[in-house]
Amino acid sequence: MPKSNIFDLLPLVLLFVVLMGVAWIGFQVYLWSGELADRGQKHMEKKNINFSKDGGLKVGVKEMSAEESADRAQKALVNTWTTSADTLAKEKGSGSRSGARK
């Protein structure tokens, strides 16, 4: 029987090292993609958009308290009142100068 030399096993050891390196990189990509999916899901849930496991999409509506709703209505009313008053003041001021002929 011929003697086996340690250098005869070197290509096999090198193959295993390369395969382990590729497997490690693949595993890291797998972990990274899972973290990315979780981060994306959390970001979408903040915007009230949920994905079900069967691929469905559910969009929720944020709840508003009664106080917040009243504040928004009051703000809209004040803005309308202010804009109307400004418009009337401009029309009144410009109408007396240019509208009448003598």
Side-chain angles (χ1 to χ4, degrees):
M1 281 208 311
K3 286 185 177 178
S4 69
N5 195 354
I6 190 79
F7 295 110
D8 292 339
L9 294 177
L10 187 64
L12 183 62
V13 171
L14 191 62
L15 175 69
F16 284 138
V17 168
V18 169
L19 285 178
M20 286 182 358
V22 169
W24 184 79
I25 290 173
F27 184 66
Q28 294 301 317
V29 168
Y30 172 74
L31 290 178
W32 176 75
S33 64
E35 290 175 4
L36 186 65
D38 290 341
R39 204 175 342 150
Q41 185 176 3
K42 287 178 185 176
H43 180 71
M44 295 304 272
E45 285 176 357
K46 286 181 183 177
K47 297 179 183 270
N48 287 333
I49 299 174
N50 297 321
F51 295 98
S52 64
K53 292 200 181 228
D54 61 348
L57 177 66
K58 180 180 177 185
V59 179
V61 179
K62 290 184 180 179
E63 294 183 24
M64 265 200 311
S65 66
E67 183 179 355
E68 187 177 354
S69 176
D71 287 345
R72 287 187 179 190
Q74 183 180 7
K75 183 178 178 180
L77 181 63
V78 168
N79 286 341
T80 304
W81 186 284
T82 304
T83 305
S84 171
D86 290 345
T87 305
L88 287 175
K90 287 179 184 178
E91 287 177 0
K92 187 176 180 183
S94 64
S96 63
R97 292 182 189 147
S98 62
R101 285 187 167 176
K102 291 187 180 179

